[in-house]
Amino acid sequence: MAPLSSSTVLVAALLATTTLAQSNVRVWSSVAWILYGDRTPLLSDNPTLTPLGAQQLKAQGAALRTRYLWKSSPDDDDDDDDIDSNGLDDIAPIHGIEQYTINNRQLRAMSTTDTYNIASAMAFFQGLYPPTTIKPSNSTGGAIAATLANGTTMTYPLDGYQYPQIQTLSRLFNPDSVYLDGSSHCPSFLQSMASFPSEETPSSNLSTSSSFYASLYSRIFNSSSLPLDQLDFLQAYNIYDYAAYHHLHNPLLSPLFAEGELPRLRSLASSEIRSRHGNLSLPIRTIAGRTLASYTKSLLVDNIRSAGSTSKLNLLFSSFEPFVAFFALSRLDAGASRELFRELPYPGAVMLFELFSTVNTTKGRDGEEEYPEVKDLKVRFLYRNSSASEARLRVYSLFETGVNYPTLEFLDFERKMGGVGVKGDRKGGDQDVEYGGRGQKKERVGSWELRNGKKVVEGVGEGVEETGARVEVPDQSHLRAVGGRWEEDDDDRLSLYGREPVKAREF
């Protein structure tokens, strides 16, 4: 794997003076977006995770274990050597999370149905929660479930292999899949792709890359499924994907690459993907980053609403499109580390959004540290480009706030993410949300959204315990109500009555 660019080292040095002292930080929740590991090319019949890819994701899981769960086993020492070996700057344990055994009530793991993404998620958990003979989590029955009536203690197979709950989201049948992959089934995005590359792609890429690709054809690509007349900038990513795999795995083809050829293929692929998914002049192109922004915000909001009891660690396994689109939306690709964020992420790369506060010494009635007020919560963004040991986990400034301000107040983060996110999404985008003391929700009344020329209501009444919550809809035939009833009044408006949560959506 290639080392990070020199600009990363520069920014790391600038941030060194602004990193919060770890002993003064309490992390409440983290949202991790994780790229799959090394896989066979997309041009192959059934792209799958390779053994190397599984090791990469296991290593990334172990790195996040060191950061969020303190140590890898009860016998490990918390010394700096362990931290440095994982390429981490510090440790940031998540408050109240179980260290050694999986508690699926505290975790959220989601993946697309791509086999290499699912396999990446499973390999990641082998590093995050490795096999253990410690008693099972309380969420799976604890010591009682592990003990038989005759006193025999049982462990799971494979020396205590742990079984995570990974939700796989079908692009065809699960609407929530848009949060992980906002572009592949978006009609407007696909329509935009029909005119690609047109005006937004530099003509130099089209003209100069064709001759470069042609020079490689007889050596590298003559056995691929791409004919010579299709080796151009429009296939830059597929070309690089194929070449990178064979450069790493094929002893016959690997020696045939001349120095500098693979980096140039990677640079062209990065340019193509940025044009497709990071073009801010065509907003639909960044839809994968917009859904990422909305869902990330909503997961942190879920943690706040539950006063820290849910959504402690959220693990989202996806492709590179959300990464590239979010880099553009958040202006990471225009900041001090633009070189890093203008290139494709390497296999196993991870983005982290951490919700934290300074340590609160106030104790609740149960003796536990109280969840902070929303105004005291902050968010920081961290990125680790691959799982290689030389890749460092660093804090970077979002939305061009500058290296002297690597963190955002949560309410400012919520506003900025809402500004680039999907409007009216049912997971918190563009909704009226108020927070009470200690992060408790007071009210949530829903929002309007325009779809296909019709106004529909998403999330209406969800969590509302007052009767008579009122919304206006132009035509009841476009809505369905679940758990409640709609009533028309004399003004042809529909009012929602009942104390049960109600959701309405177009169907």
Side-chain angles (χ1 to χ4, degrees):
M1 297 298 175
L4 297 184
S5 63
S6 59
S7 64
T8 306
V9 178
L10 173 61
V11 172
L14 292 173
L15 289 179
T17 59
T18 59
T19 301
L20 291 172
Q22 193 56 52
S23 60
N24 196 38
V25 166
R26 179 75 74 236
V27 174
W28 299 97
S29 176
S30 177
V31 179
W33 290 83
I34 305 159
L35 183 66
Y36 51 76
D38 179 67
R39 52 155 173 74
T40 56
L42 293 180
L43 292 177
S44 58
D45 292 336
N46 182 29
T48 57
L49 191 71
T50 67
L52 172 62
Q55 292 291 349
Q56 290 169 335
L57 268 293
K58 181 184 177 183
Q60 193 67 282
L64 265 64
R65 175 171 183 77
T66 300
R67 181 170 185 80
Y68 291 136
L69 307 180
W70 281 100
K71 44 190 176 182
S72 299
S73 76
D75 299 323
D76 280 353
D77 294 324
D78 287 330
D79 56 51
D80 292 338
D81 291 339
D82 286 339
I83 298 170
D84 290 341
S85 68
N86 281 318
L88 300 177
D89 299 317
D90 53 20
I91 56 178
I94 295 176
H95 183 72
I97 197 167
E98 291 203 30
Q99 286 182 265
Y100 308 117
T101 54
I102 293 176
N103 183 343
N104 285 305
R105 295 173 184 169
Q106 298 178 338
L107 306 174
R108 186 190 308 263
M110 302 171 68
S111 167
T112 66
T113 53
D114 300 303
T115 56
Y116 48 85
N117 256 336
I118 299 171
S120 293
M122 295 173 67
F124 179 91
F125 267 96
Q126 288 182 317
L128 184 68
Y129 280 101
T132 180
T133 56
I134 297 176
K135 70 176 184 177
S137 165
N138 290 331
S139 66
T140 58
I144 295 177
T147 307
L148 304 182
N150 63 8
T152 303
T153 300
M154 303 294 294
T155 60
Y156 287 109
L158 302 175
D159 298 320
Y161 182 89
Q162 301 198 57
Y163 302 95
Q165 179 178 314
I166 301 171
Q167 184 180 6
T168 56
L169 306 180
S170 167
R171 295 181 178 90
L172 294 178
F173 303 111
N174 193 323
D176 284 350
S177 67
V178 299
Y179 296 121
L180 300 186
D181 184 10
S183 59
S184 67
H185 277 67
C186 173
S188 297
F189 176 83
L190 297 177
Q191 182 179 4
S192 174
M193 284 296 96
S195 61
F196 183 83
S198 66
E199 300 175 356
E200 75 276 4
T201 302
S203 57
S204 58
N205 279 337
L206 291 171
S207 59
T208 61
S209 61
S210 295
S211 58
F212 171 58
Y213 291 138
S215 71
L216 299 177
Y217 184 78
S218 61
R219 280 186 289 135
I220 308 298
F221 298 105
N222 59 354
S223 60
S224 73
S225 60
L226 281 173
L228 177 60
D229 60 359
Q230 289 187 23
L231 260 66
D232 57 30
F233 184 72
L234 301 183
Q235 296 284 347
Y237 178 79
N238 285 332
I239 293 170
Y240 165 71
D241 186 47
Y242 178 90
Y245 173 81
H246 285 281
H247 183 270
L248 185 61
H249 292 275
N250 191 326
L252 297 178
L253 288 184
S254 184
L256 301 181
F257 284 88
E259 183 178 358
E261 288 180 339
L262 191 65
R264 185 176 178 187
L265 289 171
R266 177 176 168 80
S267 176
L268 287 166
S270 297
S271 295
E272 184 214 355
I273 297 304
R274 282 202 316 274
S275 296
R276 291 185 185 273
H277 298 279
N279 188 344
L280 295 179
S281 65
L282 298 171
I284 193 59
R285 293 288 177 85
T286 56
I287 185 63
R290 295 181 186 280
T291 54
L292 178 154
S294 292
Y295 197 48
T296 297
K297 181 186 71 171
S298 73
L299 290 172
L300 297 182
V301 168
D302 285 346
N303 183 263
I304 294 173
R305 288 173 175 163
S306 69
S309 64
T310 63
S311 298
K312 288 179 179 291
L313 181 56
N314 308 274
L315 305 166
L316 309 171
F317 298 87
S318 70
S319 185
F320 53 79
E321 293 88 351
F323 283 69
V324 173
F326 183 74
F327 294 163
L329 289 169
S330 61
R331 307 303 293 159
L332 285 164
D333 67 350
S337 298
R338 64 179 65 86
E339 292 180 17
L340 172 64
F341 293 104
R342 289 176 66 84
E343 67 173 20
L344 286 167
Y346 282 104
V350 62
M351 295 187 292
L352 302 176
F353 298 83
E354 291 181 354
L355 181 69
F356 71 97
S357 65
T358 55
V359 172
N360 181 4
T361 58
T362 303
K363 303 294 182 182
R365 286 178 294 180
D366 57 0
E368 290 292 318
E369 181 178 340
E370 285 192 348
Y371 198 85
E373 300 280 357
V374 174
K375 64 181 178 60
D376 296 324
L377 289 168
K378 299 179 176 63
V379 176
R380 58 186 174 190
F381 171 84
L382 302 95
Y383 182 52
R384 189 182 190 211
N385 186 22
S386 91
S387 61
S389 59
E390 67 268 20
R392 308 292 298 192
L393 185 61
R394 302 291 189 189
V395 180
Y396 297 92
S397 299
L398 297 176
F399 305 107
E400 298 184 304
T401 50
V403 295
N404 291 323
Y405 302 94
T407 63
L408 291 169
E409 302 292 330
F410 172 75
L411 293 176
D412 189 27
F413 171 83
E414 183 184 40
R415 178 179 61 81
K416 291 179 182 295
M417 292 291 270
V420 300
V422 179
K423 304 302 181 184
D425 74 289
R426 65 186 185 87
K427 287 290 185 179
D430 202 33
Q431 291 185 350
D432 183 10
V433 179
E434 296 180 15
Y435 302 96
R438 302 300 171 193
Q440 295 301 311
K441 177 180 60 174
K442 291 172 59 177
E443 183 179 7
R444 181 183 181 191
V445 297
S447 64
W448 290 109
E449 182 183 5
L450 189 64
R451 292 183 183 172
N452 300 324
K454 306 171 186 175
K455 270 189 175 180
V456 298
V457 180
E458 284 283 12
V460 177
E462 183 173 345
V464 176
E465 296 184 353
E466 306 274 307
T467 60
R470 179 182 295 276
V471 297
E472 296 183 16
V473 295
D475 185 350
Q476 186 176 1
S477 66
H478 298 318
L479 299 172
R480 65 175 176 177
V482 181
R485 57 192 174 90
W486 294 97
E487 293 186 359
E488 288 193 34
D489 59 20
D490 293 338
D491 297 323
D492 293 327
R493 292 184 298 188
L494 294 174
S495 297
L496 169 66
Y497 293 90
R499 304 183 69 85
E500 295 296 320
V502 174
K503 295 181 180 179
R505 60 168 59 175
E506 185 180 9
F507 68 103

